[in-house]
Amino acid sequence: MSGPRRLDWEEGSPERLYVLTGGRSGAAREQLDLVTLIVSRSSPDPGLQPEQAAIVRMCGYPLSVAEISAYLSLPASVVMVLLADLLADGRVEARPPIPAASLPDAELLEAVMHGLQNL
């Protein structure tokens, strides 16, 4: 056998991603998007997949779906399927992102920052 042989379970291999999701896709996209905030409602159980347990552990404070995807180095579509299972089991809670209108005005923040620097 010449040349390097590809391992069957490389990090991003389609086979691994298929096993993680059980071949499912798409259903979670209806209730989640990349900016949806996820917060844990329980601690991880031994029966969870390692990736799901990692999600429950890391979401002690709100994280977006995009952040979870980046931390786990998994495609967002795979993370959404895993989150859909966790949501159905009541292990995590999905919250809408903070609307921009409720955030302080950028000019006000700059004025406060300049005022503090002048002290």
Side-chain angles (χ1 to χ4, degrees):
M1 183 177 221
S2 64
R5 186 174 163 256
R6 184 180 145 256
L7 296 175
D8 289 338
W9 289 101
E10 290 178 3
E11 274 300 304
S13 72
E15 296 88 1
R16 177 176 177 264
L17 299 177
Y18 182 86
V19 169
L20 284 177
T21 61
R24 296 170 293 138
S25 67
R29 293 176 195 241
E30 296 169 7
Q31 55 185 325
L32 299 171
D33 58 22
L34 292 176
V35 295
T36 301
L37 298 176
I38 305 296
V39 182
S40 297
R41 297 184 75 190
S42 67
S43 57
D45 290 337
L48 289 176
Q49 291 180 5
E51 292 79 9
Q52 287 178 321
I55 291 170
V56 172
R57 275 193 303 276
M58 76 173 62
C59 290
Y61 57 91
L63 288 176
S64 70
V65 173
E67 290 172 308
I68 295 167
S69 174
Y71 288 140
L72 294 178
S73 299
L74 290 173
S77 58
V78 171
V79 170
M80 288 183 192
V81 171
L82 297 175
L83 285 171
D85 293 342
L86 292 171
L87 284 165
D89 292 343
R91 297 182 190 280
V92 297
E93 175 183 333
R95 297 180 183 170
I98 299 170
S102 68
L103 296 175
D105 182 34
E107 290 177 13
L108 174 64
L109 290 175
E110 285 181 28
V112 169
M113 184 178 72
H114 292 299
L116 290 173
Q117 289 173 344
N118 291 333
L119 289 177

